[in-house]
Coordinates of all heavy atoms in Angstrom, one line a residue:
E59 N -19.0 -67.7 47.9 CA -18.3 -66.9 46.9 C -18.4 -67.5 45.5 O -18.2 -68.7 45.3 CB -16.8 -66.8 47.3 CG -16.0 -66.0 46.2 CD -14.5 -65.8 46.6 OE1 -14.0 -66.4 47.5 OE2 -13.9 -65.0 45.8
A60 N -18.8 -66.6 44.6 CA -19.0 -67.0 43.2 C -17.6 -66.9 42.5 O -16.9 -65.9 42.6 CB -20.0 -66.1 42.5
L61 N -17.2 -68.0 41.8 CA -15.9 -68.0 41.1 C -16.2 -68.5 39.7 O -16.9 -69.5 39.5 CB -15.0 -69.0 41.9 CG -14.6 -68.5 43.3 CD1 -14.2 -69.6 44.2 CD2 -13.5 -67.4 43.2
V119 N -19.2 -61.6 45.2 CA -18.8 -61.6 43.8 C -17.5 -60.8 43.8 O -17.3 -59.7 44.5 CB -19.8 -60.9 42.9 CG1 -19.3 -60.7 41.5 CG2 -21.1 -61.7 42.9
N120 N -16.5 -61.3 43.0 CA -15.2 -60.6 42.9 C -15.3 -59.4 41.9 O -15.8 -59.6 40.8 CB -14.1 -61.6 42.4 CG -13.8 -62.6 43.5 OD1 -13.2 -62.3 44.5 ND2 -14.3 -63.8 43.3
E152 N -16.2 -58.4 46.6 CA -14.8 -58.5 47.1 C -13.9 -57.7 46.2 O -13.9 -57.8 45.0 CB -14.4 -60.0 47.0 CG -15.2 -60.9 48.0 CD -14.6 -62.3 48.1 OE1 -13.6 -62.6 47.5 OE2 -15.3 -63.1 48.9
D182 N -10.3 -58.5 49.7 CA -9.8 -59.9 49.3 C -8.2 -59.8 49.3 O -7.6 -58.8 49.2 CB -10.2 -60.2 47.9 CG -10.3 -61.7 47.6 OD1 -9.8 -62.5 48.4 OD2 -10.9 -62.0 46.6
D183 N -7.6 -61.0 49.5 CA -6.2 -61.2 49.4 C -5.5 -60.2 50.4 O -4.4 -59.7 50.1 CB -5.6 -61.0 48.0 CG -6.3 -61.9 47.0 OD1 -7.0 -62.9 47.4 OD2 -6.1 -61.7 45.8
K203 N -10.3 -60.6 54.2 CA -10.1 -62.0 53.9 C -8.5 -62.2 53.9 O -7.8 -61.6 53.0 CB -10.6 -62.4 52.5 CG -12.1 -62.2 52.4 CD -12.7 -62.8 51.1 CE -12.7 -64.3 51.1 NZ -13.4 -64.8 49.9
E237 N -9.0 -67.6 54.0 CA -9.1 -68.3 52.7 C -8.2 -69.5 52.6 O -7.1 -69.4 53.1 CB -8.7 -67.4 51.5 CG -9.5 -66.2 51.3 CD -9.2 -65.6 49.9 OE1 -8.0 -65.1 49.7 OE2 -10.0 -65.6 49.1
Q257 N -13.0 -70.5 54.7 CA -13.3 -70.9 53.4 C -12.1 -71.8 52.9 O -11.0 -71.4 53.1 CB -13.5 -69.7 52.5 CG -13.9 -69.9 51.1 CD -14.0 -68.6 50.3 OE1 -14.0 -67.5 50.9 NE2 -14.1 -68.7 49.0
Ligands
LIG3 MG1 -12.4 -63.5 46.2

Side-chain angles (χ1 to χ4, degrees):
E59 181 176 4
L61 294 156
V119 173
N120 293 286
E152 295 192 1
D182 207 350
D183 302 348
K203 297 186 78 176
E237 293 194 295
Q257 181 180 351

